[in-house]
Amino acid sequence: MVLNADAISQQSLPKHVAIIMDGNGRWAQARKRPRAYGHKKGVDSVRSAVQFCSKLGIESLTLFAFSSENWRRPEDEVSTLMELFLFVLSKEVKKLHKNNVKLNIIGDISRFPSSLQDKVHDAHALTCKNTGLQLNIAANYGGRWDIINAAQTLAEKVKVGELQVTDITEEALTNNMSMADQSPLDLLIRTGGDYRISNFLLWQAAYAELYFTETLWPDFNEEAFSEAIACYISRERRFGCTGEQIKQLLAESNTTS
Ligand code: IPE
Ligand code: IPE
Ligand code: MG
């Protein structure tokens, strides 16, 4: 089943989807090819996921491209990933810009080669005024890093007397975390058959729906993405309330809108 934007109400779609794009290495190994081959094929899936989200009118798509733990991989795999990242940024950004996509990198890019950091800044500057899909690429990102970063920002403000200790609230932390300006995360997808978060959006995923699929990332096409969205739509999100309370709220909002 391929979802059609007109066939489902915009209201029921997730506003913010994040994906742990896992399984590139196994996809290549199954074809007796080097892991790098899987990473290259994975770029096609990224392109298709971006197009799919643009078409559906999803507000934000956040992709886990490189975790803060991925530095532990063999040196040649890390440099292949860096080169691929650089290549994609050079080659794809103009097209993203033409499609009104706003590109944002989340994570600590200070450890990246300076050529890559420059490309990231250029891509951000070029697309920052776009009003279409917000595409966040998580690079050298870790959920714990994000929380620590927000805590340090607030601690600095306490130190200079701008804030009180009691001002360190859930809201204050949220506002100082990556993607604070975007809709809360609705749906977190992991491809590749593992059931873990691997230090991705720990804070932001607090109330996200989790969707795990065996499909390896290079095979994650429009149809597979549609299934994830359909599964999300079929679930009832209660945010700690009872199902009855949610139905009541929905009935009230339908009569007032
Ligand atoms: C995900 O695929 C891509 C990155 C982590 C960069 P993997 O490289 O983890 O592939 P598997 O999990 O080993 O198959
Ligand atoms: C998660 O995949 C990170 C990315 C997709 C970038 P990993 O393959 O690194 O995760 P683990 O090691 O299986 O937890
Ligand atoms: Mg993996």
Side-chain angles (χ1 to χ4, degrees):
M1 177 189 54
V2 174
L3 286 177
N4 175 327
D6 302 326
I8 41 173
S9 95
Q10 202 66 29
Q11 230 187 341
S12 56
L13 281 175
K15 288 190 170 66
H16 190 162
V17 179
I19 311 181
I20 302 174
M21 310 183 289
D22 198 23
N24 293 349
R26 278 165 285 161
W27 186 91
Q29 276 158 352
R31 287 158 182 80
K32 310 232 177 323
R33 302 290 293 268
R35 294 174 58 84
Y37 181 62
H39 294 315
K40 283 182 195 134
K41 279 303 272 188
V43 176
D44 295 340
S45 297
V46 170
R47 217 175 277 122
S48 134
V50 170
Q51 276 166 10
F52 179 78
C53 288
S54 286
K55 246 185 345 196
L56 275 186
I58 284 170
E59 284 178 20
S60 296
L61 173 67
T62 303
L63 300 174
F64 205 8
F66 192 86
S67 77
S68 43
E69 289 72 34
N70 286 146
W71 296 105
R72 297 176 189 154
R73 294 193 177 198
E75 219 172 285
D76 63 333
E77 180 161 347
V78 171
S79 46
T80 300
L81 286 166
M82 293 297 143
E83 277 160 30
L84 196 60
F85 203 15
L86 194 61
F87 174 75
V88 170
L89 275 179
S90 315
K91 218 180 122 240
E92 304 277 335
V93 169
K94 272 196 201 127
K95 209 160 60 187
L96 290 174
H97 183 49
K98 231 174 74 192
N99 290 323
N100 200 19
V101 173
K102 189 172 172 184
L103 186 68
N104 179 36
I105 307 289
I106 59 168
D108 179 9
I109 62 160
S110 66
R111 208 176 147 184
F112 285 167
S114 60
S115 52
L116 193 50
Q117 292 186 40
D118 291 346
K119 285 270 181 244
V120 166
H121 292 306
D122 293 350
H124 188 255
L126 179 70
T127 65
C128 65
K129 296 212 169 69
N130 289 343
T131 53
L133 175 71
Q134 169 82 55
L135 175 62
N136 308 295
I137 305 286
N140 194 18
Y141 178 86
R144 289 175 178 168
W145 165 85
D146 207 356
I147 295 168
I148 291 165
N149 227 15
Q152 287 181 349
T153 306
L154 294 176
E156 284 294 340
K157 290 191 177 159
V158 171
K159 196 169 132 194
V160 297
E162 255 178 62
L163 285 182
Q164 301 294 313
V165 169
T166 48
D167 292 329
I168 302 182
T169 58
E170 184 178 318
E171 196 191 358
L173 272 156
T174 300
N175 289 340
N176 283 280
M177 212 94 59
S178 297
M179 309 186 295
D181 56 332
Q182 299 173 41
S183 286
L185 183 62
D186 294 310
L187 172 63
L188 174 61
I189 298 171
R190 182 176 186 134
T191 64
D194 282 314
Y195 295 81
R196 55 177 173 263
I197 298 189
S198 298
N199 195 20
F200 194 27
L201 301 163
L202 299 179
W203 181 273
Q204 294 88 338
Y207 268 105
E209 287 294 325
L210 307 180
Y211 179 87
F212 298 96
T213 170
E214 295 293 320
T215 305
L216 303 172
W217 178 248
D219 291 327
F220 192 78
N221 55 18
E222 206 164 279
E223 185 155 1
F225 206 158
S226 293
E227 261 169 46
I229 302 280
C231 179
Y232 169 86
I233 291 172
S234 74
R235 292 186 194 174
E236 185 185 19
R237 302 179 79 196
R238 288 188 288 273
F239 299 98
C241 304
T242 65
E244 275 310 309
Q245 285 174 298
I246 300 289
K247 280 184 203 126
Q248 181 80 37
L249 268 177
L250 280 175
E252 281 163 17
S253 73
N254 285 340
T255 52
T256 51
S257 65

